[in-house]
Amino acid sequence: MFRKTIPAAAAGLAVLAATLTAPAAASASESRATKQVHLRSGLTLTIPASWKVVKDDKDWVRVVTGSCPTLGTEDFGFRDWGCHSFWVLGPKALKIGLHTFQAYKSKYGYDPATDVSICPRSYKLYKGEWKLAGKGLRQVGPGHRADYHKWAATCVDKKWRVKLHYNQREWYLPTSKILVLDQWDHPQLSTILENATWH
């Protein structure tokens, strides 16, 4: 059921993503082109123009940063695989942010499910164990600090053998009710968040 939260609007989202995507850059100066993404509570991020912004509504925003085989398909959504991206989630998403769809608590990590989930890196694997690998406060634009957690996670096969490792990084702004979630270790994301603006 949860997989269908975002896929229900997949066709419209593909069109929206295309309209928000800048053409591929031909020169060095064009490759550094950026655009602004206006999010809930006045949060604005400046991201590379080549990244695609897909909005179901203001509580489910996905920024696709590279290859995304599920984009435009019915599988596109939080529980898909192989889609290089990060999420900016709001109150509706936070209400179902833990196992058995309970309200999100940063000390447990964002993982809405009632069963075993597909690994975000491969449709052939499943989410395995994860443990806290780092936490603290992180700047998200002037005057805003996020409750930051980094989870070291695994993906396993049907016999529960670990096949790969990945990190899930979370920046939670409790007053603004915003969670930025990254399962791909985007090297630019920390700086993008530090340089965010609020309007």
Side-chain angles (χ1 to χ4, degrees):
M1 175 178 140
F2 185 66
R3 287 178 64 193
K4 301 299 180 188
T5 302
I6 293 177
L13 292 177
V15 172
L16 177 61
T19 62
L20 293 172
T21 304
S27 68
S29 62
E30 287 175 335
S31 68
R32 290 190 294 271
T34 60
K35 63 185 174 187
Q36 289 191 328
V37 182
H38 303 287
L39 302 161
R40 65 174 306 107
S41 301
L43 175 61
T44 300
L45 304 182
T46 301
I47 63 171
S50 61
W51 291 2
K52 300 173 181 71
V53 180
V54 183
K55 295 182 181 183
D56 184 35
D57 65 28
K58 63 183 179 179
D59 290 336
W60 293 94
V61 178
R62 191 175 202 175
V63 180
V64 178
T65 60
S67 172
C68 185
T70 60
L71 184 63
T73 74
E74 67 176 10
D75 292 316
F76 184 75
F78 187 78
R79 295 179 72 181
D80 66 6
W81 63 92
C83 185
H84 294 250
S85 60
F86 65 90
W87 291 88
V88 182
L89 305 171
K92 289 179 190 173
L94 295 172
K95 280 184 181 177
I96 57 167
L98 292 183
H99 242 45
T100 67
F101 301 123
Q102 297 177 54
Y104 172 74
K105 292 182 178 72
S106 59
K107 65 181 179 179
Y108 298 123
Y110 193 85
D111 188 29
T114 56
D115 55 6
V116 177
S117 300
I118 294 294
C119 171
R121 301 286 183 99
S122 170
Y123 71 92
K124 296 178 180 178
L125 301 173
Y126 304 94
K127 282 185 178 179
E129 302 288 328
W130 57 351
K131 63 181 179 179
L132 186 63
K135 67 177 183 175
L137 296 176
R138 297 289 189 276
Q139 199 72 33
V140 179
H144 292 76
R145 289 200 173 193
D147 183 11
Y148 173 81
H149 287 78
K150 177 179 178 180
W151 302 94
T154 60
C155 290
V156 297
D157 63 14
K158 291 180 180 179
K159 295 184 177 179
W160 211 250
R161 295 174 296 200
V162 174
K163 294 297 180 179
L164 63 85
H165 298 264
Y166 71 97
N167 293 314
Q168 178 164 307
R169 301 185 298 164
E170 301 177 3
W171 292 258
Y172 178 49
L173 295 148
T175 302
S176 304
K177 298 285 190 275
I178 295 172
L179 174 67
V180 178
L181 186 146
D182 173 30
Q183 296 172 318
W184 291 91
D185 281 323
H186 290 91
Q188 297 163 279
L189 187 54
S190 292
T191 301
I192 286 170
L193 293 173
E194 287 172 15
N195 294 329
T197 57
W198 296 83
H199 300 289

